[in-house]
Amino acid sequence: DQCATGKTLEAGKLTIATGNPAYFPWVIDDAPEQGKGFEAAVAYAVAAEMGFESDDVVWVRAGFDESIQPGAKNFDFNLQQFSITDDREKVIDFSLPYYSSAMAVLTTKAVVDAGAEPTLASLKTLKWGAGAGYTAVPVLTDLVAPDSDALLYNDNTDVTAAIQAGQIDVALFDLPTALYLAAVVVDGGVILGQFPADRMENPDRFGMLMEQDSALKACVDEAIAALTSNGKLAEIEATWLSESTGVPVIK
Amino acid sequence: MKLRLENVKKSFGQTKVLDGISLEVAQGEMLCLVGASGSGKSTLLRCINLLEPLDDGAIWLDKEDIAEPSLDPQPIRQRIGIVFQSFNLFPHMTAEENVMLAPRRIHRKTRDQLRQPIMALFERFGLKNHMDHYPDQLSGGQQQRVAIVRALAMKPDIMLFDEITSALDPELVGEVLEVLKALKNEGMTMIMATHEMAFAREVADNVCFLDRGRILEQGPPQQILSDPQEPRTRDFLGRVLGNQ
Amino acid sequence: MKLRLENVKKSFGQTKVLDGISLEVAQGEMLCLVGASGSGKSTLLRCINLLEPLDDGAIWLDKEDIAEPSLDPQPIRQRIGIVFQSFNLFPHMTAEENVMLAPRRIHRKTRDQLRQPIMALFERFGLKNHMDHYPDQLSGGQQQRVAIVRALAMKPDIMLFDEITSALDPELVGEVLEVLKALKNEGMTMIMATHEMAFAREVADNVCFLDRGRILEQGPPQQILSDPQEPRTRDFLGRVLGNQ
Amino acid sequence: MANGSAGLTRRQAYERKLRHRSLIIAGGSTLAVVLAIVLLVPLAPGWEKVKYSFFNGEVFIKTFPKLLNAFVLDVAIFAWSVPLIAALGLAIALARDVRNPVLYPLRLFGALYTDLFRGVPVVLVVYLVGFGIPGLGLPRPWNSPYIWGTVALVLTYSAYVAEIFRGGIESVHNSQRNAALSLGLTGQDVMRFVVLPQAIRRVIPAQMNMLIALQKDVALLSFIGPVEIFRQAGVFKSLLANFTPYVVAAAIFLVVTVPATRLADYLITKQNRSRS
Amino acid sequence: MANGSAGLTRRQAYERKLRHRSLIIAGGSTLAVVLAIVLLVPLAPGWEKVKYSFFNGEVFIKTFPKLLNAFVLDVAIFAWSVPLIAALGLAIALARDVRNPVLYPLRLFGALYTDLFRGVPVVLVVYLVGFGIPGLGLPRPWNSPYIWGTVALVLTYSAYVAEIFRGGIESVHNSQRNAALSLGLTGQDVMRFVVLPQAIRRVIPAQMNMLIALQKDVALLSFIGPVEIFRQAGVFKSLLANFTPYVVAAAIFLVVTVPATRLADYLITKQNRSRS
Ligand SMILES: Nc1ncnc2c1ncn2[C@@H]1O[C@H](COP(=O)(O)OP(=O)(O)OP(=O)(O)O)[C@@H](O)[C@H]1O
Ligand SMILES: Nc1ncnc2c1ncn2[C@@H]1O[C@H](COP(=O)(O)OP(=O)(O)OP(=O)(O)O)[C@@H](O)[C@H]1O
Ligand SMILES: [Mg+2]
Ligand SMILES: [Mg+2]
């Protein structure tokens, strides 16, 4: 109640938005109130840092499109794996990044058996898919530049449905999502390889999204900076995001 | 109440439909317009009612030139009733509602105020039992009488009738013509386009023979219908009377 | 070629339209059906053409009972031509295409094979210049003659005509009746429903007077039309001849 | 036909035989086809998977109540859109009929309006209006996606509805207008009491078709946030990674739209018949 | 009217005056309204932001070529769907007209088919067919979303098209069938040479409307992968966080659909006129 006082949507409450539905492992069981899952945990940690009790946190749902529309928002900040980009920052504000993700290539055993390898040359020849609203699209076109046009979908489920239906061979996700999908959702799902964050020109950094010129931005940044320096953020990451060192790096 | 047309002209595109019509109708007079199909009878009546704007000429109703283009035709039309060949009742209203609409909206009277006089009109024209019927439920002759009542309910100074019997079966024509005779006896001023020569001879004060938008002959019916001067008139009468 | 009807019956719902018709038409004979509107003339012709299934009775065409319900009517219809009051030309085809359609599809002939005989037919009926015209571009009389040519092109054994002149203007009736006379002279067997008493008297071999689905009188036209026995026939003829 | 059963006419006897036979044949062949489908489809290699993904009984039971619940929002949006669409559509139709030169911009506007909103896919209008207008700086609750999504539907559909009304107005024969004018009624009264009542009656079947289309397009509001049945199905799809919720949604739609379509067809047929 | 300019009739003189005045008034009032919009809207508080998000010249220039390029896919899908829809629609319409009892399942199927596909929103069909059927275990390239997306459109639209064809077939007067039958033509030939040519001609305007609707619904294929204009606009939207690409897409649609709608309206009016 120091920095944020009078700057939130509702006095004494912190309204946080996430996706509908919110996906594993970012939020467990689509229930952010429980604080389980990486983003849910980060949200409560940031709230605590800003001086809000857990009970003062109000969750709402808001998709990407609603969030980038000009004008007033119905949340104080929104976290659902939004990547920070220059273009986006012209219409909305992002906090400091709370996570830097590698990009991973999800595929199925059948494709691997057919000879797919974690090399750019091999990847180019495959049929690609991705979620249209994600920053995976420019990565795909710039870094991989596949031979045939990629297919683009509304959300992750549609991408996995297309993989399952054999309509695409491979799809690009952030690494934690890819790990989850390979393990749980896709029958015979395999992670073919990853593009580590530090290898990319514009690494995929997740930020919390706020209305442009939000008065709250300074407080949120302050909280994230604090959590980063005291190692709490790394701790949360270790708790909720699986080990990714085993995934081969794409050459 | 006197109506005088002065050199009335009307063209549709290149065809001159009325080519300088001048005529006069005195108070209480009945004028019959006769002439071949396409000679301009309907157009003339529509012009008098201001449903068609004139190209040229004047129409004097008493002291006022109602053909003045800048006049608002709406109040003038209230003084000139017209009944069409095809009845044109409003199909979504009962006979009574058809008749009440204009007085209610224009004279701002309530249904209750109107019920009495309109009931009287219906009764007079033998329609008492049909007030609640929709046009669909009426015979042609009944529909046409309702159309006449509808025009009369506005208490016009002059009535125009455009071949009001020609869409009727022969046995229904009589009913409607009876109504006109009654109106004439009450002193209504009337202009009527018709092919019913027998009726014209019996009832009209004057007959006017139109041919290609011009008046060829004009005068009392005995003269025009029995002893026409123009070969065209003779020719036309020969054909029409031959069919009857 | 002989057609014999035996106790033909047909009802629509509760109304008996044909109530036991028996008649015979010999090779080259022309039979005229006369009778008031609604007496069943059209229905009878449609039954003979198998467009309406009979309820009961038999129709013998030479040795075959074509009214047998289990027969396929399609090949039989090729032997019996019919022409309707309302022409029913196919509006999307030229006169020539109208005529060619059935021979091309049924006799499996090519256009080239057909051109010669069909051209001859058109010429014979004074339609030579109208082969490429669409029905819309033809007068009623011309359309009706094309309809006759269309039926004749299938070389039927017998032709049925259903009041084929009643939708025509008086001056066009003559053309069409001329065609029938010519056909009669060529020995075509024909049944014709008509109101043209003068024509029937002149051309028919037999006249059959229908009343409410029954045959009241039957015989040569001189007898039936000049000296009818039944009061009903007299009454009907009085009305029809009065109008002409 | 007063024949006793003994005195069957020739045709009646034949038809009785035929009826028996065709009943048997029709019944038999229908059964054969149905059996073939029921027995053969499950033999397709991926059938088990597809059945699991699209016709999953468990998922059906789990999601049906919530989907039905979400459908209430569809119905609500539908219900409050309809009067607005009718009113705006009528207004635009009347605007296009205006003759006064001072009001010329109204006519022009009407023409542009119908062209614009009939030309652009509904989804795009929903996006543009649903996100664009709230951005003009409206405070809560005036930037609600419910409001602006509804507005998007109203804008699009009133363009179609207006054109149908206009067709109805033009179909009222000029002689009706003339008859009313000749009584001395004002232009406004002629429209209100004579032309419109007849016009509206004539276009009811065509407007029924628009209602059915609207009923289905309400689903597009989900794109800008409201959790109606389609979005709810999407959420379940994402959570359960199973498409059965869409099948359930489709079934719920069918229950509503099939009777409605039938009614509209019936009205149109009836009207066509009475016309000819 | 052969009057010289000196010999104007009374009405001509009046109308000339009136025309001048009304031109000035109409022009003036239109200008006033346009000016009001141009000057006032930018004064709204959020206008700058909205302009930036929705009418961004820079974004327009950047995205237009690629959007136009994506639109080619819309056109292609449209082009190959149309003949399929026409063929299937006609087949279903004919199936519903079948009288032979052996073929009764065909009639039943036709009726169920039209009910089903007219009742379910197109989006749902696209999802269900686009992901469901490929899941039955089809190998590449037979599981392509282009194929199955097209199939979904074809299934839905042929239901509508079939109903329109059926209406046309029923509108051909029975006397035409009878005339053709009386010549000895088979039932099949009667349908093919006499009924259908007339029926199809009559329903062309109604089918034009379906074409326009289809043209817009092609955009829904994006849901199952193909990057057509709508999806391309969505990608740009999320990359640039700007809605201008949607406006551009809407504009591209307008350029195609407005003339098409005008043509359809014109045909319908012409046909209605020739009927009465
Ligand atoms: N709105 C119009 N546009 C063009 N021509 C018209 C119009 N109204 C009438 N005409 C033409 O004007 C001429 C006169 O028509 P009008 O109806 O006045 O004749 P009429 O004497 O009433 O004939 P009828 O006895 O057939 O009613 C006709 O040639 C007609 O074709
Ligand atoms: N399809 C039908 N359904 C019901 N009733 C019919 C049908 N066709 C004809 N009818 C009735 O059968 C009776 C005989 O009709 P039909 O057309 O054979 O008479 P018609 O002698 O040809 O008369 P017209 O001289 O008017 O042509 C009429 O009462 C008619 O209403
Ligand atoms: Mg007239
Ligand atoms: Mg008949």
Side-chain angles (χ1 to χ4, degrees):
Chain A
D1 37 6
Q2 319 85 16
C3 171
T5 308
K7 296 173 183 169
T8 56
L9 214 54
E10 229 179 302
K13 302 273 183 196
L14 185 63
T15 312
I16 306 179
T18 186
N20 184 15
Y23 295 100
F24 187 94
W26 311 102
V27 172
I28 307 294
D29 289 340
D30 191 25
E33 313 72 51
Q34 295 172 5
K36 292 184 181 166
F38 176 71
E39 283 183 347
V42 169
Y44 279 104
V46 168
E49 195 66 33
M50 288 167 71
F52 291 95
E53 300 289 325
S54 327
D55 290 345
D56 294 334
V57 173
V58 179
W59 286 93
V60 294
R61 307 286 183 149
F64 178 74
D65 292 351
E66 288 167 84
S67 311
I68 61 163
Q69 74 178 82
K73 310 277 185 280
N74 64 345
F75 50 78
D76 288 319
F77 60 76
N78 183 343
L79 75 171
Q80 45 177 309
Q81 309 108 62
F82 288 129
S83 303
I84 303 170
T85 71
D86 293 343
D87 283 316
R88 288 176 176 180
E89 271 190 308
K90 289 177 192 160
V91 272
I92 40 185
D93 279 356
F94 283 110
S95 68
L96 293 175
Y98 59 88
Y99 180 69
S100 287
S101 168
M103 284 298 210
V105 177
L106 174 72
T107 185
T108 59
K109 260 181 88 180
V111 176
V112 176
D113 292 347
E117 291 168 14
T119 62
L120 275 181
S122 166
L123 290 179
K124 266 184 200 301
T125 62
L126 299 174
K127 188 76 188 160
W128 279 84
Y134 303 92
T135 33
V137 180
V139 175
L140 189 56
T141 46
D142 297 347
L143 219 61
V144 182
D147 294 341
S148 61
D149 286 341
L151 295 175
L152 303 178
Y153 300 89
N154 280 352
D155 60 19
N156 293 344
T157 316
D158 289 357
V159 182
T160 52
I163 291 184
Q164 211 95 76
Q167 289 168 329
I168 53 176
D169 296 321
V170 281
L172 202 58
F173 295 98
D174 58 72
L175 185 52
T177 302
L179 285 169
Y180 162 70
L181 293 175
V184 180
V185 177
V186 178
D187 270 356
V190 172
I191 307 272
L192 193 56
Q194 63 169 323
F195 299 102
D198 46 26
R199 278 252 327 254
M200 277 183 290
E201 232 174 277
N202 292 307
D204 203 11
R205 296 168 306 141
F206 294 168
M208 296 176 182
L209 182 152
M210 283 162 280
E211 191 180 334
Q212 198 169 27
D213 303 325
S214 165
L216 210 59
K217 177 173 157 55
C219 312
V220 176
D221 281 353
E222 202 180 298
I224 291 177
L227 291 171
T228 313
S229 58
N230 67 16
K232 262 205 180 144
L233 210 49
E235 219 173 89
I236 296 173
E237 187 179 324
T239 314
W240 295 108
L241 300 183
S242 21
E243 203 51 49
S244 55
T245 45
V247 178
V249 171
I250 290 165
K251 294 184 264 301
Chain B
M1 207 12 274
K2 194 174 121 179
L3 184 82
R4 189 157 57 81
L5 273 64
E6 226 178 73
N7 193 31
V8 165
K9 289 188 180 174
K10 173 78 192 172
S11 304
F12 288 112
Q14 292 298 334
T15 44
K16 293 189 184 177
V17 177
L18 298 179
D19 195 11
I21 301 275
S22 299
L23 56 76
E24 241 183 81
V25 189
Q27 167 74 42
E29 184 184 322
M30 170 178 241
L31 173 70
C32 276
L33 300 174
V34 303
S37 184
S39 56
K41 304 182 295 296
S42 300
T43 307
L44 183 58
L45 294 179
R46 293 164 57 81
C47 281
I48 297 175
N49 193 246
L50 306 185
L51 285 173
E52 298 284 356
L54 299 197
D55 287 342
D56 216 346
I59 300 177
W60 298 93
L61 190 65
D62 288 334
K63 298 262 131 48
E64 188 186 13
D65 176 7
I66 60 172
E68 170 56 38
S70 56
L71 277 186
D72 177 9
Q74 192 236 323
I76 298 164
R77 289 196 193 115
Q78 297 170 23
R79 300 169 55 195
I80 307 177
I82 187 168
V83 182
F84 303 93
Q85 173 176 348
S86 46
F87 329 149
N88 298 338
L89 293 183
F90 308 134
H92 57 297
M93 298 180 176
T94 63
E96 186 182 12
E97 288 165 352
N98 261 280
V99 174
M100 274 192 181
L101 177 64
R104 273 181 56 217
R105 298 300 303 170
I106 299 166
H107 298 156
R108 296 280 160 200
K109 295 209 178 132
T110 64
R111 277 168 205 273
D112 287 336
Q113 288 173 313
L114 287 168
R115 189 146 296 140
Q116 204 44 47
I118 283 181
M119 189 111 74
L121 269 177
F122 272 98
E123 208 155 326
R124 210 172 98 209
F125 294 116
L127 292 164
K128 202 176 127 191
N129 299 325
H130 302 295
M131 290 181 67
D132 296 332
H133 290 171
Y134 284 89
D136 275 356
Q137 302 167 316
L138 298 174
S139 75
Q142 289 163 343
Q143 287 189 50
Q144 193 57 291
R145 281 181 286 156
V146 173
I148 295 173
V149 168
R150 182 172 70 177
L152 287 176
M154 287 299 291
K155 303 211 173 64
D157 295 328
I158 180 166
M159 287 284 290
L160 313 177
F161 297 99
D162 188 6
E163 298 190 32
I164 55 174
T165 57
S166 60
L168 301 181
D169 288 342
E171 62 261 45
L172 301 176
V173 171
E175 315 177 345
V176 172
L177 291 182
E178 280 310 310
V179 169
L180 294 194
K181 271 192 215 164
L183 280 180
K184 161 101 168 108
N185 289 338
E186 289 166 25
M188 176 62 81
T189 312
M190 296 188 269
I191 305 181
M192 174 179 183
T194 190
H195 283 293
E196 302 281 338
M197 294 305 155
F199 180 79
R201 186 171 305 166
E202 185 188 346
V203 183
D205 297 305
N206 274 302
V207 171
C208 188
F209 180 70
L210 250 67
D211 183 63
R212 302 190 205 158
R214 290 170 170 281
I215 295 180
L216 271 197
E217 281 189 81
Q218 193 168 10
Q222 296 74 21
Q223 178 198 322
I224 304 291
L225 300 179
S226 315
D227 180 23
Q229 303 301 305
E230 297 284 328
R232 275 220 139 74
T233 321
R234 269 200 293 276
D235 184 47
F236 170 75
L237 289 174
R239 268 186 292 133
V240 175
L241 297 174
N243 285 350
Q244 279 182 338
Chain C
M1 211 8 280
K2 194 174 121 180
L3 183 82
R4 190 157 57 82
L5 273 63
E6 227 178 73
N7 192 30
V8 165
K9 289 188 180 175
K10 174 77 193 172
S11 303
F12 289 113
Q14 292 300 334
T15 43
K16 293 189 184 177
V17 177
L18 298 178
D19 194 11
I21 301 276
S22 299
L23 55 78
E24 240 184 82
V25 188
Q27 166 74 41
E29 184 185 322
M30 173 179 238
L31 172 70
C32 276
L33 300 175
V34 302
S37 185
S39 56
K41 304 182 296 295
S42 300
T43 308
L44 183 57
L45 294 179
R46 293 164 58 82
C47 281
I48 298 175
N49 192 246
L50 306 185
L51 284 173
E52 298 283 358
L54 298 197
D55 287 342
D56 217 346
I59 300 176
W60 298 93
L61 189 64
D62 288 333
K63 300 262 131 45
E64 187 185 12
D65 176 7
I66 61 172
E68 170 55 39
S70 56
L71 276 187
D72 176 8
Q74 192 236 323
I76 298 163
R77 288 195 194 117
Q78 298 168 25
R79 299 169 54 195
I80 305 177
I82 186 167
V83 182
F84 303 93
Q85 173 175 349
S86 48
F87 329 148
N88 298 339
L89 293 182
F90 308 134
H92 58 296
M93 298 180 176
T94 64
E96 186 181 13
E97 288 164 354
N98 261 282
V99 174
M100 275 193 179
L101 177 63
R104 272 180 57 214
R105 298 299 303 168
I106 299 164
H107 299 157
R108 295 279 159 199
K109 294 206 178 138
T110 64
R111 276 167 206 272
D112 286 337
Q113 288 174 315
L114 287 168
R115 188 144 298 140
Q116 203 45 45
I118 282 181
M119 188 112 74
L121 270 177
F122 271 97
E123 209 156 327
R124 212 172 96 208
F125 294 114
L127 292 164
K128 203 176 124 191
N129 299 323
H130 302 294
M131 291 180 66
D132 296 332
H133 289 172
Y134 285 89
D136 275 355
Q137 302 167 317
L138 298 173
S139 76
Q142 289 162 344
Q143 287 189 50
Q144 193 57 291
R145 280 181 286 156
V146 173
I148 295 172
V149 167
R150 182 172 69 177
L152 287 176
M154 288 300 290
K155 302 209 174 66
D157 294 329
I158 181 167
M159 286 284 290
L160 313 176
F161 298 99
D162 187 7
E163 298 192 32
I164 55 172
T165 58
S166 62
L168 301 181
D169 288 340
E171 62 261 45
L172 302 175
V173 171
E175 313 176 348
V176 173
L177 292 182
E178 280 309 309
V179 169
L180 294 193
K181 273 193 213 166
L183 280 180
K184 161 101 168 108
N185 290 338
E186 288 165 26
M188 175 63 79
T189 312
M190 296 188 272
I191 305 181
M192 175 178 182
T194 189
H195 284 293
E196 303 280 339
M197 294 304 156
F199 180 80
R201 183 171 307 166
E202 185 187 350
V203 183
D205 296 305
N206 274 303
V207 170
C208 189
F209 181 72
L210 251 70
D211 183 64
R212 302 190 206 159
R214 290 169 169 284
I215 295 180
L216 271 197
E217 283 190 77
Q218 193 167 14
Q222 295 75 21
Q223 179 196 322
I224 303 289
L225 300 180
S226 315
D227 181 23
Q229 303 300 305
E230 298 282 329
R232 272 221 143 71
T233 322
R234 267 201 293 276
D235 184 46
F236 171 74
L237 289 174
R239 267 187 293 130
V240 176
L241 296 173
N243 285 348
Q244 281 183 339
Chain D
M1 281 173 258
N3 311 48
S5 69
L8 286 182
T9 65
R10 186 175 179 186
R11 174 129 218 110
Q12 282 172 326
Y14 175 72
E15 285 190 340
R16 171 175 288 194
K17 214 176 76 192
L18 206 67
R19 208 159 31 234
H20 273 228
R21 226 185 46 204
S22 61
L23 258 180
I24 292 170
I25 294 178
S29 57
T30 310
L31 201 71
V33 170
V34 170
L35 274 180
I37 292 174
V38 171
L39 296 177
L40 290 180
V41 166
L43 297 182
W47 170 245
E48 271 309 318
K49 266 198 207 161
V50 168
K51 196 178 130 196
Y52 178 84
S53 281
F54 287 88
F55 306 100
N56 192 321
E58 207 178 307
V59 173
F60 177 93
I61 291 165
K62 194 145 103 200
T63 60
F64 181 76
K66 273 212 163 177
L67 286 172
L68 200 59
N69 211 28
F71 190 61
V72 172
L73 180 59
D74 288 79
V75 174
I77 292 175
F78 176 78
W80 71 61
S81 303
V82 169
L84 295 174
I85 289 170
L88 184 58
L90 191 56
I92 304 255
L94 292 177
R96 295 197 64 176
D97 202 60
V98 152
R99 295 276 166 263
N100 190 331
V102 186
L103 300 178
Y104 181 75
L106 256 184
R107 292 189 62 184
L108 191 71
F109 167 79
L112 288 179
Y113 182 93
T114 48
D115 271 6
L116 185 66
F117 286 104
R118 291 194 303 160
V120 181
V122 196
V123 202
L124 283 178
V125 179
V126 168
Y127 258 105
L128 294 178
V129 171
F131 289 141
I133 297 189
L136 279 172
L138 297 168
R140 262 198 296 160
W142 300 112
N143 64 1
S144 141
Y146 297 95
I147 295 180
W148 293 105
T150 308
V151 167
L153 287 182
V154 170
L155 287 174
T156 302
Y157 273 85
S158 57
Y160 287 95
V161 164
E163 286 297 289
I164 294 174
F165 275 134
R166 195 164 69 100
I169 290 172
E170 281 175 5
S171 82
V172 174
H173 202 273
N174 228 353
S175 64
Q176 287 283 321
R177 282 180 195 241
N178 278 340
L181 281 175
S182 77
L183 291 171
L185 290 170
T186 61
Q188 223 182 336
D189 277 356
V190 171
M191 182 55 79
R192 177 166 152 210
F193 292 100
V194 177
V195 177
L196 275 189
Q198 299 185 52
I200 289 175
R201 227 165 278 199
R202 284 184 206 181
V203 297
I204 284 176
Q207 303 289 30
M208 276 291 299
N209 272 346
M210 290 319 315
L211 280 191
I212 296 161
L214 171 65
Q215 158 63 25
K216 297 196 282 176
D217 275 353
V218 167
L220 298 179
L221 283 210
S222 63
F223 288 26
I224 54 167
V227 184
E228 50 68 68
I229 186 170
F230 185 66
R231 168 54 48 114
Q232 185 67 56
V235 168
F236 279 128
K237 173 205 73 177
S238 293
L239 281 180
L240 308 171
N242 191 299
F243 285 91
T244 307
Y246 279 132
V247 176
V248 177
I252 292 177
F253 269 107
L254 276 181
V255 169
V256 175
T257 50
V258 167
T261 331
R262 280 262 160 272
L263 178 64
D265 284 357
Y266 168 76
L267 288 177
I268 289 176
T269 320
K270 212 177 81 175
Q271 207 196 42
N272 280 347
R273 207 171 294 144
S274 76
R275 240 187 229 166
S276 63
Chain E
M1 280 172 259
N3 312 48
S5 67
L8 288 180
T9 65
R10 188 176 177 182
R11 175 130 214 110
Q12 282 172 325
Y14 174 71
E15 285 190 338
R16 172 175 288 193
K17 213 176 79 195
L18 206 66
R19 207 158 33 232
H20 273 225
R21 226 184 49 203
S22 62
L23 258 180
I24 291 170
I25 294 177
S29 57
T30 311
L31 202 71
V33 170
V34 169
L35 274 181
I37 294 173
V38 170
L39 295 179
L40 290 181
V41 166
L43 296 183
W47 169 246
E48 270 309 317
K49 271 196 200 164
V50 169
K51 195 179 128 194
Y52 179 85
S53 282
F54 286 88
F55 306 100
N56 191 320
E58 209 177 306
V59 173
F60 176 93
I61 292 167
K62 196 146 107 198
T63 59
F64 181 77
K66 273 209 162 176
L67 286 171
L68 200 59
N69 210 29
F71 190 61
V72 172
L73 180 59
D74 289 78
V75 174
I77 293 173
F78 176 78
W80 71 59
S81 303
V82 168
L84 295 173
I85 289 169
L88 184 58
L90 191 55
I92 303 259
L94 291 176
R96 296 198 63 175
D97 202 60
V98 151
R99 296 275 166 265
N100 190 332
V102 187
L103 300 178
Y104 181 75
L106 257 184
R107 288 189 65 183
L108 192 71
F109 167 78
L112 289 180
Y113 182 93
T114 47
D115 270 6
L116 185 67
F117 285 105
R118 291 195 302 159
V120 181
V122 195
V123 203
L124 285 178
V125 178
V126 167
Y127 256 110
L128 296 176
V129 172
F131 284 141
I133 298 190
L136 280 173
L138 295 169
R140 204 99 54 87
W142 299 111
N143 63 3
S144 143
Y146 297 97
I147 295 179
W148 293 105
T150 306
V151 167
L153 287 182
V154 169
L155 287 174
T156 303
Y157 273 84
S158 58
Y160 288 95
V161 163
E163 286 297 291
I164 295 175
F165 274 133
R166 195 164 69 99
I169 289 171
E170 282 173 5
S171 82
V172 174
H173 201 271
N174 227 355
S175 65
Q176 287 282 321
R177 281 179 196 244
N178 278 342
L181 282 174
S182 77
L183 290 170
L185 290 171
T186 60
Q188 221 182 341
D189 278 355
V190 171
M191 183 53 83
R192 177 164 152 211
F193 292 101
V194 176
V195 178
L196 273 189
Q198 298 184 52
I200 289 175
R201 227 164 280 198
R202 283 183 207 183
V203 297
I204 284 176
Q207 303 289 31
M208 276 291 299
N209 271 346
M210 291 318 315
L211 281 191
I212 296 163
L214 171 65
Q215 158 63 26
K216 297 195 281 175
D217 275 352
V218 167
L220 298 178
L221 284 210
S222 63
F223 285 37
I224 54 167
V227 183
E228 49 68 69
I229 186 169
F230 184 66
R231 170 64 72 204
Q232 187 65 59
V235 169
F236 279 129
K237 168 208 72 181
S238 67
L239 281 184
L240 307 172
N242 191 299
F243 288 98
T244 307
Y246 280 132
V247 176
V248 178
I252 292 176
F253 269 106
L254 276 181
V255 169
V256 175
T257 49
V258 167
T261 330
R262 280 262 160 272
L263 178 64
D265 285 356
Y266 167 77
L267 288 176
I268 290 176
T269 319
K270 211 175 83 176
Q271 206 195 44
N272 281 348
R273 206 170 295 144
S274 78
R275 241 186 226 165
S276 60

